[in-house]
Amino acid sequence: MARKRIGELLLEQRAISVAQLEAGLAAHRKSGQRLGATLIAQGAITEATLAGVLSQALGLQQVDLAAVTPEWAAVHLLRARFCEQHDLFPYALESVGGRRQLVVAMSDPLNVTAVEEIEFTSGLKVNVRVAALSAVRSAILRYYHKVPVAAANTAATAAPGASRPAPVKPLVAPPVQKARAAPPPEEDDDEVIVGEELPPGETTQRTSLAELIREREEQRKQRRGQATAKPKPAASGGGVLDDLDFLFGQAREDPDRIEELERKFWALMRIMARKGLLTKDEFTRELDDEGER
């Protein structure tokens, strides 16, 4: 998925002006609301414009949630609070190349943090679709909180840019499988908020660690790709895979399983870095193969 932010894409597509972006960012920092919702509330763009720009710029399909009948197996994989926090809605499971994927409608498909957390907790790859913000919130109210369709649509569209509607006590609590609610946002000025524009070249300790982790992940992928063209040695020495073998008890002969474990490992490292649970020194000393050489 592209690493750009919503503000950059909207500017590139000439959907907003620089002045509108600056005003949106100022309000976004004060309220903590997502940038897209803030721009909609200010009248800079419409929901349809935002969804169209994101779909076209990122090459992602749009989905009309009002015309979709969700699969309960998909809905039950995520909790209502997590969906409300990130303005997303899981609505289908599909098989791609023999592997199951969770199809998720998102008003902000650039929210990589949410995607990675879903993939880590569910063990499924996420297939993102773009949806209008009010449609996502209406689906959450309807399928998680059992609010009737008309009432859900009214609550979701009454104030498109306002804060999320207060959760309605569900009439029937839906079962939840293999998911956990995301913690509330941290009060930390050093945290990078998805959708917020940083001045060119500005970095923080967490962003520099995140970049190092991504660099090591790419190097590991390249090595794995090169290794597939060569005979595998009978034994290998040390590194991330041995740690994963020990933690998960997985035999090394299954390349698909190894790839899945590695993907979970790197996702966990990025989550820990963003939450300030891992320092750069700790990563290079304990986990970075390159740093040991």
Side-chain angles (χ1 to χ4, degrees):
M1 185 179 295
R3 301 301 300 173
K4 291 185 178 180
R5 295 181 171 88
I6 283 181
E8 294 177 276
L9 294 178
L10 291 172
L11 280 178
E12 288 178 359
Q13 299 294 319
R14 299 181 180 179
I16 59 173
S17 66
V18 174
Q20 288 174 319
L21 175 58
E22 291 176 348
L25 287 172
H28 152 73
R29 293 188 182 103
K30 289 181 181 179
S31 66
Q33 193 175 52
R34 309 201 75 80
L35 180 59
T38 301
L39 291 170
I40 292 172
Q42 292 180 333
I45 54 175
T46 64
E47 287 188 348
T49 298
L50 177 61
V53 167
L54 292 174
S55 174
Q56 180 179 359
L58 301 176
L60 298 174
Q61 297 180 31
Q62 285 187 252
V63 61
D64 179 6
L65 289 176
V68 169
T69 300
E71 298 178 30
W72 282 109
V75 175
H76 292 164
L77 283 173
L78 301 181
R79 290 185 178 176
R81 183 186 173 193
F82 180 85
C83 295
E84 291 165 348
Q85 183 179 12
H86 296 285
D87 284 324
L88 55 84
F89 181 74
Y91 67 91
L93 290 164
E94 62 181 16
S95 180
V96 177
R99 292 187 178 183
R100 286 206 314 166
Q101 294 188 0
L102 178 62
V103 186
V104 180
M106 302 182 68
S107 64
D108 179 6
L110 291 172
N111 187 352
V112 181
T113 301
V115 172
E116 289 181 344
E117 188 150 354
I118 293 171
E119 291 184 338
F120 182 76
T121 56
S122 70
L124 300 175
K125 176 114 180 125
V126 171
N127 196 335
V128 176
R129 299 285 190 273
V130 182
L133 177 60
S134 62
V136 170
R137 293 180 176 176
S138 177
I140 292 173
L141 287 171
R142 180 180 180 185
Y143 293 102
Y144 281 107
H145 299 301
K146 309 301 181 184
V147 177
V149 177
N153 291 337
T154 301
T157 59
S163 300
R164 298 174 187 83
V168 180
K169 185 176 181 181
L171 302 178
V172 180
V176 180
Q177 300 176 2
K178 300 192 298 181
R180 58 182 178 80
E186 296 178 338
E187 296 291 334
D188 191 339
D189 292 337
D190 197 34
E191 185 68 71
V192 176
I193 301 175
V194 175
E196 179 179 355
E197 301 289 334
L198 290 176
E202 180 175 334
T203 60
T204 65
Q205 290 183 355
R206 294 187 193 180
T207 55
S208 63
L209 173 56
E211 288 304 315
L212 175 61
I213 291 173
R214 291 190 182 281
E215 178 183 328
R216 294 296 182 256
E217 181 182 13
E218 289 303 317
Q219 291 175 355
R220 175 68 65 176
K221 287 180 180 178
Q222 291 175 6
R223 285 197 210 127
R224 187 169 63 240
Q226 294 171 356
T228 56
K230 302 177 182 178
K232 293 187 178 180
S236 60
V240 172
L241 286 179
D242 285 337
D243 293 336
L244 292 172
D245 287 346
F246 176 77
L247 289 173
F248 296 97
Q250 175 62 38
R252 295 286 285 275
E253 288 76 11
D254 185 351
D256 290 338
R257 181 59 176 163
I258 292 173
E259 182 178 351
E260 179 184 351
L261 292 176
E262 278 200 321
R263 179 172 58 79
K264 287 189 175 183
F265 170 81
W266 292 115
L268 177 60
M269 291 300 100
R270 289 192 292 273
I271 292 171
M272 292 179 66
R274 278 193 297 269
K275 295 182 181 297
L277 301 176
L278 179 69
T279 67
K280 193 170 184 178
D281 288 341
E282 290 171 335
F283 176 75
T284 54
R285 183 175 64 251
E286 303 290 345
L287 299 166
D288 184 11
D289 293 342
E290 296 294 324
E292 296 174 357
R293 298 175 186 176

